[in-house]
Amino acid sequence: MRAIFLCEAPDNISRVYDSETVCEIKKIAELDEKVYNRKMIQENPEHFSNVEIIFSTWGMPSMSEEEIRNTLPKLKCVFYGAGSVQSFARPFLECGVKVFSAWGANAVPVAEMTVAQIILANKGYFVSNRIFHSEGRQAADSAFRKCKGNYGETVGIIGAGMIGKLVIKMLKQYNLKVSVFDPFLPDEKASELGVEKCELTELFERSFVVSNHLANNEQTKGMLNYDLFRRMRENAVFINTGRGAQVIEDDLVRILTERPDLTALLDVTEPEPPISEHPFYTLPNCKLTPHIAGSAGDEVRRMGKYMFEECQAYIDGKTCQYEVTKKMLETMA
């Protein structure tokens, strides 16, 4: 089966698909190691008429159904070595092309960072650190003593998709109670995960840490608002490693201003980065990071390996773990 790399950013291909993974792919497919882009395909469609497999990552071009059918008539699969496929997947799926995503691999570092923040938050790290710098040791110690720590505390997870479930599983090694809001999570699956389902208002009221992992779609935009944030417990922490669009940011600014005891840890905003002069930059209880939760550094190579393994399973006629369907696009990030 003829395979190519398709990406508008060639350097991303070499980052995600290291030499070891490329060698493995070449054992199972006729891989052309050159990185092609959309313009190359448009200018010389005959050269791509027998391509059956595409490997890509960040920089995968968006193509119309007509373009796909005319230039890639034999295409069977796209293996995307990154997370969200929302920007390009639907036309391929409409053409009968299977799409696979390394969202499972990208979920690992996001979950790791989220869990690290949860553990620090429960320990009172963020509030005591902030107060230590502004008001001194005694005031910081007083705030710290109001935090219960990581024994029996309640954590709220919004969205039990791939990342949300992985966060829950990683938290199992701690003695924590986990509340979950996810209308699509079956009761039996919640029981299997060992979590308690609840409504959003209740989740914000009972949880010391609230972590957002909602899917990024029209239905979830602006779901997290002032009425929810105002219900947060004293010294509570809101974490967002999902997407910024789910948060009404003016409402978050308002509550952080009204309640300096709260902390927001924002790895994502809408837009990214926040506009200049945005209060997020100056609020002492808002911590910004530049969307670092996903795969970075050598972590990105895990995604290339996942896609090689998916391709091998597909060619061998075995069950694939990370195929994306049209139905899944309605709820996934």
Side-chain angles (χ1 to χ4, degrees):
M1 301 180 75
R2 186 181 174 207
I4 63 167
F5 288 119
L6 176 60
C7 187
E8 302 296 327
D11 288 348
N12 287 346
I13 292 292
S14 59
R15 287 178 59 218
V16 173
Y17 298 92
D18 60 19
S19 58
E20 181 180 335
T21 299
V22 170
C23 287
E24 293 298 316
I25 293 173
K26 292 176 75 171
K27 292 177 183 178
I28 63 173
E30 183 188 339
L31 177 66
D32 181 348
E33 292 189 48
K34 182 176 180 178
V35 180
Y36 295 95
N37 58 36
R38 182 181 179 184
K39 184 179 180 181
M40 293 175 181
I41 292 178
Q42 292 173 328
E43 291 178 344
N44 190 14
E46 296 81 10
H47 181 67
F48 304 93
S49 61
N50 64 342
V51 169
E52 295 179 85
I53 294 172
I54 285 174
F55 286 96
S56 190
T57 183
W58 299 292
M60 172 67 184
S62 176
M63 301 174 71
S64 68
E65 292 179 39
E66 181 181 10
E67 187 178 1
I68 294 166
R69 291 192 174 98
N70 290 340
T71 62
L72 297 163
K74 297 288 183 66
L75 186 63
K76 292 181 170 62
C77 303
V78 174
F79 293 95
Y80 183 66
S84 175
V85 299
Q86 291 283 4
S87 65
F88 71 87
R90 193 171 294 278
F92 285 93
L93 294 172
E94 294 292 350
C95 291
V97 177
K98 291 181 177 293
V99 175
F100 302 87
S101 165
W103 81 78
N106 201 40
V108 175
V110 179
E112 289 172 342
M113 177 168 161
T114 301
V115 170
Q117 291 181 323
I118 289 171
I119 300 308
L120 287 172
N122 282 336
K123 194 68 176 175
Y125 173 85
F126 298 103
V127 64
S128 62
N129 175 270
R130 181 171 68 250
I131 293 176
F132 201 140
H133 282 277
S134 62
E135 300 178 40
R137 167 66 183 268
Q138 186 173 354
D141 187 63
S142 177
F144 163 74
R145 293 185 182 281
K146 294 178 181 179
C147 302
K148 293 183 178 181
N150 285 293
Y151 189 82
E153 185 56 278
T154 299
V155 174
I157 303 296
I158 309 174
M162 173 70 74
I163 295 173
K165 286 189 179 74
L166 190 53
V167 170
I168 292 166
K169 291 175 182 177
M170 289 182 176
L171 289 174
K172 289 293 185 183
Q173 62 182 302
Y174 303 93
N175 195 321
L176 293 167
K177 300 173 185 175
V178 180
S179 296
V180 172
F181 170 79
D182 190 325
F184 300 98
L185 182 67
D187 291 343
E188 55 271 22
K189 185 61 178 179
S191 179
E192 180 184 323
L193 290 169
V195 301
E196 182 179 353
K197 291 175 63 178
C198 65
E199 295 301 315
L200 266 178
T201 52
E202 187 178 2
L203 183 143
F204 272 82
E205 288 170 349
R206 67 165 63 165
S207 305
F208 187 74
V209 180
V210 176
S211 185
N212 175 45
H213 304 283
L214 284 170
N216 190 37
N217 54 47
E218 288 298 321
Q219 290 71 37
T220 63
K221 285 184 177 180
M223 278 186 64
L224 307 181
N225 55 32
Y226 180 81
D227 182 62
L228 295 170
F229 292 128
R230 71 177 180 81
R231 299 172 185 271
M232 295 179 74
R233 291 166 47 188
E234 184 178 7
N235 293 331
V237 177
F238 172 70
I239 299 172
N240 195 1
T241 54
R243 288 292 186 272
Q246 285 91 50
V247 177
I248 298 180
E249 294 185 340
D250 286 347
D251 287 2
L252 183 57
V253 168
R254 177 184 172 189
I255 197 65
L256 291 174
T257 303
E258 293 174 353
R259 291 188 52 189
D261 61 298
L262 299 180
T263 302
L265 307 177
L266 307 180
D267 192 48
V268 290
T269 56
E270 182 63 30
E272 291 185 18
I275 60 173
S276 60
E277 309 301 324
H278 196 286
F280 282 158
Y281 290 114
T282 54
L283 279 166
N285 50 346
C286 178
K287 304 298 182 184
L288 293 173
T289 47
H291 204 149
I292 64 173
S295 297
D298 287 348
E299 292 171 340
V300 301
R301 302 187 329 198
R302 182 193 285 125
M303 298 189 294
K305 183 178 180 182
Y306 269 44
M307 289 300 91
F308 154 69
E309 292 173 348
E310 280 290 272
C311 183
Q312 185 171 46
Y314 172 79
I315 291 173
D316 292 344
K318 297 179 180 178
T319 300
C320 294
Q321 299 184 63
Y322 302 112
E323 182 176 355
V324 177
T325 65
K326 285 186 281 187
K327 182 67 175 176
M328 291 168 64
L329 290 180
E330 298 175 10
T331 56
M332 71 187 305

